[in-house]
Amino acid sequence: MSGSPKYSRAQLERQRRERLEQERRQRAAEEARRRQEAEAREQQRRLEARRQQVQQQSDTLKRTLSQQHPHLYPNAADRLHQQLQQLQHTLAQAPSEAAVGQVSRQLEQLQTDLHRHLAQKRRDDEAKKQQAELQHQKFALEELQRQQLEIADGAKFAPNREASLSQKLESVKQLIQSGDPSQVRQPLHAAEQALAAYRQEVAERRAEWQRRQGDAQENLSRLQALIAGLQADPVVMRWQSAAVGQLDQHRQRAEQAIAAEQFEEVAPLLATCQQQRQPLIDAANQSQLQADQRDYIADSIAQSLESLGFGIIYREAEHPDNPESAVILGAASHSGKGISVSIPTEGEIFYDVEGYSKQTAAAVGGGSAAVCDEAEAVIGEMHEHLQGEFGVQMGELQWQGKDPNRRLRQADRLPRSDSARSRQA
């Protein structure tokens, strides 16, 4: 028998293979449940964080409303308070980030309404104090300038209208200084219309920006929950940690896109991760199933060797850092003969024998045999035990240079331990 490595192919019988597959499906179902729980926890954490953020926004508006109450008409103040209370109640019951985002946008609108009511009452109060048209016009100009400053992010959302409004306000200011109220009326009215158009455009574009931001944040939350679920799955992380790391890079890019206000880039990143998620999980489960089969075969071989009188002296992974590594078994008999077996996750099983001389020698029990044939006979007997006791079907033993017409000469079997004899009996 050649000194080259020996190998054969292992195949589980159907009943045992189906049992392993059933066990994998059961474990996969439990792993899926843990992923779902991790995703739900992450979504709930994000929801509560967002709710707290909007609650702070609500508290700030409530303080502002209380401070500005003397400067509002009673009906307007009561209406604003009622609307704020309703929004606070809605916020407490909001079931999703999208619902919380809607409350945030309504609070923004309520803030705008507050400024509008404050501006209206300021204008009315000033009109009562100053009867002179010119003084009223001067106040109107100041009010327009004040309202222009109160419009947040105007330069961001409507820069052209902001520049046009500033030019109109400067023109009104110069006409007021001329002292002729009749020359101020039309330009002041035009400035008021320009302010209204400016506020409307800013509000519309801000709402659209907030909608896009909200969609991006929601997609990011789903992406973060997806990653958290995969990271909580030990089987996925054992076999597909690098792939999960690549998906996590998509999450980082999504966060960077939101920070850069490139909101449209988030949805494709989420879609990519969603498309890759299930194939990644399936690949991990398939790898785990192959590893389970490898371990079952390794256990079966170890027990079979012990039944033949061998003692297992080591069992270890060929590459400990690689979960796909072959399992290496080392066994030795009392007579000093040894067999080492390499069991991979897929492919041929390799044998290496020691202490079997290629020369003709006296066989145990009398007669003579080629001891290399004896090693082949032992491996063949082990194959029979694997199939009979464990359902592991081993192929024909092969080695490089094997004569296809070669017939195994009769060889006595290796001596067995007492425990092995008792199991045989």
Side-chain angles (χ1 to χ4, degrees), residues 226-408:
L226 184 152
I227 298 297
L230 291 175
Q231 291 175 338
D233 188 329
V235 170
V236 168
M237 294 306 294
R238 180 179 304 119
W239 298 102
Q240 295 291 330
S241 60
V244 174
Q246 292 177 352
L247 296 187
D248 195 51
Q249 291 179 1
H250 290 331
R251 175 193 61 77
Q252 295 174 13
R253 285 197 290 272
E255 292 176 347
Q256 294 167 358
I258 290 178
E261 299 187 8
Q262 297 171 347
F263 304 128
E264 286 71 19
E265 294 185 8
V266 179
L269 292 171
L270 172 62
T272 297
C273 291
Q274 288 173 330
Q275 291 172 359
Q276 297 179 6
R277 176 178 179 270
Q278 192 57 47
L280 185 151
I281 294 171
D282 293 342
N285 284 327
Q286 180 60 33
S287 296
Q288 185 61 48
L289 177 59
Q290 290 178 330
D292 293 342
Q293 292 175 340
R294 174 203 61 195
D295 293 342
Y296 178 82
I297 293 171
D299 292 341
S300 301
I301 289 176
Q303 294 179 47
S304 296
L305 286 172
E306 288 177 337
S307 73
L308 296 176
F310 286 84
I312 304 301
I313 56 177
Y314 63 84
R315 174 177 176 162
E316 59 190 22
E318 184 175 7
H319 303 287
D321 295 332
N322 183 1
E324 294 183 288
S325 170
V327 172
I328 306 298
L329 288 176
S333 68
H334 293 300
S335 61
K337 295 183 174 65
I339 296 178
S340 65
V341 190
S342 174
I343 307 101
T345 54
E346 58 180 340
E348 289 79 7
I349 294 175
F350 283 87
Y351 303 96
D352 190 15
V353 297
E354 296 180 1
Y356 294 91
S357 172
K358 297 179 183 179
Q359 304 300 321
T360 301
V364 177
S368 65
V371 184
C372 199
D373 284 344
E374 180 186 357
E376 182 180 358
V378 170
I379 295 175
E381 187 175 355
M382 183 189 71
H383 285 187
E384 293 176 1
H385 193 269
L386 285 171
Q387 180 167 353
E389 295 295 325
F390 302 102
V392 180
Q393 299 174 358
M394 304 295 294
E396 181 183 355
L397 189 63
Q398 302 287 343
W399 62 88
Q400 184 176 2
K402 177 181 179 181
D403 182 356
N405 298 318
R406 176 182 181 274
R407 300 183 63 183
L408 180 65

Side-chain angles (χ1 to χ4, degrees), residues 65 68-81 83 109-125 143 147 150 199:
L65 189 55
Q68 297 297 334
H69 190 277
H71 306 295
L72 294 167
Y73 287 116
N75 290 340
D78 292 342
R79 187 164 57 255
L80 291 172
H81 276 294
Q83 292 174 346
Q109 183 59 48
L110 197 61
Q111 179 78 27
T112 300
D113 292 344
L114 171 60
H115 287 306
R116 180 169 55 81
H117 285 297
L118 288 171
Q120 183 63 46
K121 192 170 187 304
R122 284 196 299 264
R123 175 174 290 181
D124 292 347
D125 291 343
E143 181 59 30
Q147 292 183 46
E150 288 174 349
R199 178 184 286 113

Side-chain angles (χ1 to χ4, degrees), residues 34-174:
R34 290 198 295 270
R35 289 195 302 273
Q36 292 172 356
E37 291 176 351
E39 291 178 7
R41 288 195 299 273
E42 179 63 15
Q43 289 173 347
Q44 186 63 31
R45 185 192 69 79
R46 293 280 306 178
L47 172 60
E48 294 305 323
R50 179 63 173 147
R51 195 196 309 276
Q52 184 178 5
Q53 181 183 19
V54 177
Q55 181 61 50
Q56 293 175 352
Q57 179 185 3
S58 172
D59 294 341
T60 299
L61 179 57
K62 182 178 180 180
R63 288 194 299 271
T64 303
L65 189 55
S66 297
Q67 294 168 356
Q68 297 297 334
H69 190 277
H71 306 295
L72 294 167
Y73 287 116
N75 290 340
D78 292 342
R79 187 164 57 255
L80 291 172
H81 276 294
Q82 291 175 0
Q83 292 174 346
L84 178 58
Q85 290 176 353
Q86 180 60 41
L87 288 176
Q88 289 175 328
H89 176 73
T90 302
L91 175 61
Q93 303 297 323
S96 66
E97 283 194 67
V100 173
Q102 179 64 26
V103 172
S104 177
R105 291 189 287 274
Q106 291 175 330
L107 288 171
E108 287 280 352
Q109 183 59 48
L110 197 61
Q111 179 78 27
T112 300
D113 292 344
L114 171 60
H115 287 306
R116 180 169 55 81
H117 285 297
L118 288 171
Q120 183 63 46
K121 192 170 187 304
R122 284 196 299 264
R123 175 174 290 181
D124 292 347
D125 291 343
E126 186 64 19
K128 294 176 183 178
K129 294 178 183 179
Q130 300 186 19
Q131 300 299 319
E133 186 178 4
L134 191 60
Q135 290 299 320
H136 179 74
Q137 291 171 341
K138 181 178 180 181
F139 171 76
L141 172 63
E142 293 172 351
E143 181 59 30
L144 292 176
Q145 292 172 327
R146 185 182 298 112
Q147 292 183 46
Q148 180 188 25
L149 295 175
E150 288 174 349
I151 298 176
D153 297 327
K156 174 179 181 178
F157 294 113
N160 293 335
R161 285 194 182 274
E162 183 192 40
S164 177
L165 175 61
S166 296
Q167 292 177 355
K168 286 180 171 61
L169 293 178
E170 182 61 27
S171 176
V172 170
K173 179 180 178 180
Q174 294 175 359

